[in-house]
Amino acid sequence: MIAALARWSIRRRAVVLTCALLLCLLGAWSATRVPIDAMPDITGPQVQINTALPSYAADEAESRVTIPLESELSGLPGLVEFRSLSKTGLSQVTLIFADGTDIFRARQLVTERIGQASGNLPPGAVPVMAPISTGLGEIVYYSIGYAADAKAPADESTRLRDLRLLHDTRVRPALRSTPGLADVNVIGGHERQMLVEPDLAKLAKSGVPMSELLRAVRRNTENAGGGVVTLGGEAFTVRADTRVRTAQDIAGIPLRPAGLGPAVTVGDVARVSVGNASRMGAATVDGVVGAAIMLAGENSREVSKRAVEKLAAIGTHLPEGVKLTVLYDRSDLVGATIRTVETNLFEGALIVVVVLLVLLGHWRAALLVALAIPLSFLLLLTGMAASKASANLMSLGAIDFGLIVDGSVVMVENFLRRLEERVRALGRPLSEDERTTELSAAAGEVAGPMFLGVTVITLVYVPIFALEGIEGKMFKPMAAAVVVALAASALVALTVMPALASFWLRAEGHAEEGGLIRRLKSVFSAMLGWCFAHRTAAVVATSLAALAAAVGYTRLGADFIPQLDEGSISIQFVRASSLDLASSVDLQKRAEILLRAKFPEVDHVFARIGTAEIASDPMGPNVADSYVKLKPRDTWRREGGSPINKARLVELMSELLERTVPGQTTMFSQPIQLRFNEIMAGSRADLSLKIFGDELSNMEAVAEQAVAVLRKIPGGGDVEFEASGLLPSVDIVPKRDQLVRRN
């Protein structure tokens, strides 16, 4: 049947070439619709539930919120992994579902279970689901701040409060309308609040209890509805507009009517002012940093471009002197990665064409075989667009053009051989019928063996489809791309190559093998003759070579995936757990000023400290994620006569920070690599060691010993604690027997 297909393609060459042209047009159109990313997203369908608990310690959040939610959410259909995190003021539960689970159905099930668990949660605890995104969902970071020549408020607290208000009321709502975004996160700035600070001495003197102060302020934050009144044939809505709007309004709230003694207002017993809400996070660039979060399953390159364009449009409508600055754009990395893949693919195709020209010795045959590369690649893009598979470094980088042209080389080389032999035998050029007959016979000779060879190569990739979990998400797209490319190359070799050969391939009867082929054949014949004459020695030599290869294999290094140079550096700063947010920001700014001053390779630096508004990545105030955007490589300094490499640059940064800004540890990585590590192992390091126990002091002692051992391992990098010490807290425990006697 395979040979019959090749012979049919010669007889119906017009039909075959017309179909090939249509498929090429379809492939070119599909190329514009293939999702493009730097690396495959290894995150499975997940639902994250965050519960803000401002007055709860970590153990209380665990016992009163996290455990009840875990108990209620366990046993959901498709649930494969369950993890939780309890911190001061936050409970986080993450549910990971099996691949293929409908995320919207999963969120519906989680919503129902949360409703059932609400009766077991303390008052004020409201579980909120995080946006429908993945661990790699933050694709664009931006900042909002004042221009250098703007008339900004002199007070820093006021500036940060105004910027945060402007972001939350104008930037965030507009940006969230961008197609493909799940939500917009924000960190930094100050959330505006009205502060009422009671003076206990004045309260006692006026005789107004604290409960009455709280009740009066609460009553005046709402309006009262009075219904509808009909008068003179018209209807009027009646309502009491009692909601306070300014600090003066709050200060004027009466606490005791004048008839019961001297009138007392809130302003008489408390200080009322405009202030800031307590915060657990900050930013170092302009004070407010936002993050555009991509909807799961979207095309990161396209969504990034839309978000950046939307930010540019929003910036034109902001007040004079306020600017929006894009700090990190995932599409830059994706574009650089795709350019690298395109360059490698083009160079690989060019090498294949040159080799074909040299070895085949016939320029028509070489160009004919070379056509198999773009044809097979366009068919691959059609399949990827239809299946919505991502084109990335893993899927496209695995394409081997040598394998793609293998079947076409066999087919075209046999066409050329049969035609040349027939021309030499007849001593004249072949007629059209004679050419068709020879081509059909040549196709029948090699079609079956060629197809079998491509099938065997394809079967090598089949076991990869059995991988599951993170390994499956990483390598299955690569295997699928190679299998589709090989299938496309076999189809091209069996149909398009015979049809094109009948039009294009000509034989003159004097084509001979090139000198290189003749020399290679002579060397091969000599080696083959020696092996037949010395069979024992040949077998022993081959066995020793295989044994040496096996020994060498055991000494090779191994990695999960090749490390992609993202063009940026991510630095995680970990400081003492007792450090407050202001001190952490101060240390961070000192480190950033140092990096900008001492390293001309740095374009800009920004950092996120602590926890953002959407606590998808809850960190303490002592932890900061810094992003260092580097300038183009050709502008870097030279060291020892050659340009400095990235590893050396990281080493110099680490030494300088450790020497100049003490009191913190640093861990260097890259933005996407850092997220990959966190998704795979729950830690941002390439290799993490977790220590479990009942006593923190004992665990810290063991951790110090482990760090000392790990630092002695040759080839190791940064070895640091991810957390150090306890977060101090002031616990007020009432003596209930004393309270009873005093009532």
Side-chain angles (χ1 to χ4, degrees):
M1 184 179 71
I2 301 300
L5 176 61
R7 289 192 292 268
W8 179 86
S9 299
I10 296 173
R11 294 193 303 271
R12 299 289 186 270
R13 57 189 184 181
V15 175
V16 171
L17 295 180
T18 300
C19 293
L21 178 60
L22 293 176
L23 286 175
C24 287
L25 295 176
L26 178 61
W29 177 77
S30 299
T32 63
R33 304 181 64 83
V34 174
I36 299 176
D37 209 335
M39 296 290 286
D41 194 337
I42 60 175
T43 309
Q46 71 174 25
V47 179
Q48 192 176 77
I49 306 159
N50 297 315
T51 309
L53 305 163
S55 61
Y56 282 63
D59 55 346
E60 292 177 316
E62 174 79 12
S63 60
R64 301 198 61 186
V65 178
T66 304
I67 292 178
L69 285 176
E70 288 178 341
S71 301
E72 196 64 48
L73 293 170
S74 61
L76 284 171
L79 185 63
V80 295
E81 189 175 340
F82 200 119
R83 63 173 182 261
S84 63
L85 174 69
S86 299
K87 302 183 69 172
T88 300
L90 177 68
S91 166
Q92 184 180 86
V93 178
T94 303
L95 311 173
I96 300 177
F97 293 84
D99 294 340
T101 301
D102 184 355
I103 187 63
F104 295 98
R105 178 175 179 270
R107 290 173 70 90
Q108 177 62 34
L109 294 173
V110 170
T111 301
E112 294 174 358
R113 292 289 184 92
I114 290 177
Q116 297 173 11
S118 60
N120 299 324
L121 301 180
V126 182
V128 178
M129 285 191 289
I132 307 174
S133 186
T134 68
L136 302 178
E138 294 182 341
I139 55 174
V140 174
Y141 294 118
Y142 61 91
S143 67
I144 178 172
Y146 290 102
D149 56 348
K151 295 181 179 179
D155 180 53
E156 182 182 12
S157 179
T158 304
R159 287 200 306 271
L160 293 178
R161 188 164 56 242
D162 291 348
L163 289 173
R164 178 62 182 267
L165 182 63
L166 188 62
H167 178 275
D168 291 347
T169 57
R170 298 182 63 175
V171 178
R172 186 177 186 180
L175 185 58
R176 289 176 73 176
S177 64
T178 305
L181 287 187
D183 209 332
V184 176
N185 204 357
V186 62
I187 188 170
H190 288 300
E191 186 178 352
R192 185 173 183 269
Q193 282 190 346
M194 295 292 185
L195 303 182
V196 179
E197 302 172 87
D199 186 319
L200 298 182
K202 291 181 178 179
L203 275 174
K205 183 178 179 180
S206 64
V208 177
M210 179 71 75
S211 58
E212 180 58 31
L213 174 64
L214 294 174
R215 195 161 40 245
V217 173
R218 185 178 294 115
R219 282 198 310 264
N220 285 270
T221 57
E222 298 177 354
N223 290 341
V228 178
V229 175
T230 302
L231 183 64
E234 293 184 339
F236 297 88
T237 301
V238 179
R239 67 185 182 91
D241 189 4
T242 58
R243 185 167 60 91
V244 293
R245 291 177 173 82
T246 65
Q248 290 77 12
D249 291 343
I250 298 176
I253 296 175
L255 297 178
R256 186 173 60 196
L260 300 179
V264 178
T265 63
V266 171
D268 295 331
V269 297
R271 178 175 177 268
V272 183
S273 61
V274 177
N276 307 316
S278 299
R279 59 176 185 164
M280 293 296 292
T284 58
V285 176
D286 295 329
V288 179
V289 170
I293 303 175
M294 184 182 69
L295 188 67
E298 288 288 336
N299 185 336
S300 66
R301 188 186 191 190
E302 295 300 323
V303 178
S304 297
K305 289 182 178 179
R306 292 186 209 131
V308 171
E309 291 172 357
K310 189 71 172 181
L311 286 170
I314 296 171
T316 60
H317 298 287
L318 293 178
E320 184 179 357
V322 178
K323 59 184 177 66
L324 279 176
T325 305
V326 175
L327 303 173
Y328 174 82
D329 181 2
R330 177 79 62 81
S331 64
D332 293 340
L333 171 62
V334 175
T337 303
I338 294 303
R339 285 193 295 272
T340 301
V341 173
E342 289 174 348
T343 301
N344 293 342
L345 292 177
F346 175 76
E347 292 175 351
L350 187 61
I351 291 172
V352 169
V353 172
V354 172
V355 171
L356 289 173
L357 285 170
V358 172
L359 297 183
L360 288 179
H362 193 286
W363 69 273
R364 285 179 177 264
L367 293 180
L368 185 61
V369 172
L371 283 176
I373 295 176
L375 291 174
S376 301
F377 197 72
L378 287 173
L379 289 176
L380 168 63
L381 293 178
T382 301
M384 296 180 72
S387 61
K388 296 183 179 180
S390 170
N392 52 62
L393 184 65
M394 292 295 291
S395 58
L396 295 185
I399 303 301
D400 187 343
F401 287 142
L403 295 179
I404 286 180
V405 301
D406 187 48
S408 297
V409 168
V410 173
M411 188 70 73
V412 173
E413 198 278 336
N414 199 48
F415 288 158
L416 185 60
R417 181 187 64 83
R418 287 290 298 257
L419 291 177
E420 293 289 349
E421 290 178 354
R422 187 61 175 164
V423 168
R424 285 196 294 269
L426 296 177
R428 59 174 175 81
L430 300 179
S431 65
E432 191 64 27
D433 290 340
E434 289 173 335
R435 289 181 67 256
T436 301
T437 301
E438 288 300 322
L439 290 174
S440 297
E445 287 177 348
V446 298
M450 180 275 297
F451 184 77
L452 178 61
V454 175
T455 302
V456 170
I457 297 173
T458 303
L459 291 176
V460 173
Y461 292 88
V462 171
I464 297 178
F465 291 100
L467 295 176
E468 298 179 349
I470 294 175
E471 297 86 351
K473 295 185 183 71
M474 181 63 68
F475 294 108
K476 279 182 181 179
M478 177 270 292
V482 173
V483 168
V484 172
L486 289 173
S489 70
L491 180 63
V492 169
L494 289 171
T495 57
V496 180
M497 289 298 111
L500 285 175
S502 65
F503 278 114
W504 174 257
L505 202 58
R506 293 289 184 270
E508 304 298 334
H510 52 73
E512 297 180 357
E513 292 175 340
L516 178 60
I517 294 296
R518 289 197 301 272
R519 284 192 290 271
L520 290 175
K521 277 190 173 182
S522 64
V523 173
F524 176 69
S525 298
M527 292 177 59
L528 195 60
W530 185 90
C531 289
F532 282 134
H534 306 83
R535 289 175 291 181
T536 303
V539 171
V540 171
T542 304
S543 300
L544 290 176
L547 181 61
V551 173
Y553 176 77
T554 61
R555 305 174 70 85
L556 289 176
D559 205 348
F560 179 64
I561 56 172
Q563 191 174 101
L564 173 67
D565 185 357
E566 302 179 25
S568 301
I569 297 175
S570 176
I571 311 176
Q572 186 176 52
F573 292 86
V574 181
R575 299 157 183 130
S577 298
S578 58
L579 201 68
D580 67 341
L581 185 60
S583 300
S584 186
V585 171
D586 180 63
L587 280 175
Q588 184 64 37
K589 288 184 176 180
R590 288 170 55 192
E592 292 182 6
I593 292 172
L594 193 65
L595 290 174
R596 283 192 289 265
K598 299 296 184 181
F599 293 92
E601 296 84 0
V602 173
D603 187 4
H604 64 263
V605 187
F606 73 97
R608 303 186 305 162
I609 305 171
T611 304
E613 181 180 287
I614 301 175
S616 56
D617 182 19
M619 301 186 300
N622 62 313
V623 181
D625 278 349
S626 299
Y627 296 84
V628 182
K629 180 69 179 296
L630 302 176
K631 295 178 181 178
R633 188 69 60 93
D634 54 9
T635 63
W636 291 11
R637 75 184 76 177
R638 303 180 70 85
E639 189 176 72
S642 60
I644 189 174
N645 57 39
K646 193 173 182 180
R648 176 60 178 161
L649 189 65
V650 167
E651 182 181 347
L652 293 174
M653 287 181 176
S654 179
E655 292 174 355
L656 183 65
L657 290 172
E658 183 177 349
R659 183 178 68 254
T660 313
V661 190
Q664 57 189 1
T665 59
T666 57
M667 291 182 284
F668 286 80
S669 184
Q670 300 182 105
I672 293 182
Q673 180 187 351
L674 182 145
R675 298 299 175 191
F676 262 83
N677 293 336
E678 191 172 24
I679 293 170
M680 290 189 292
S683 172
R684 303 186 178 191
D686 292 329
L687 180 65
S688 62
L689 175 65
K690 297 183 179 181
I691 300 173
F692 299 89
D694 297 325
E695 292 293 333
L696 180 63
S697 58
N698 295 337
M699 288 190 292
E700 285 189 335
V702 173
E704 290 176 358
Q705 298 174 14
V707 167
V709 173
L710 292 173
R711 284 177 175 166
K712 297 177 182 178
I713 297 177
D718 298 326
V719 181
E720 306 293 350
F721 286 110
E722 187 169 336
S724 178
L726 287 171
L727 179 65
S729 63
V730 177
D731 296 336
I732 300 175
V733 182
K735 296 180 179 180
R736 302 189 183 278
D737 55 340
Q738 299 283 344
L739 291 175
V740 170
R741 286 197 294 268
R742 291 178 180 273
N743 280 341

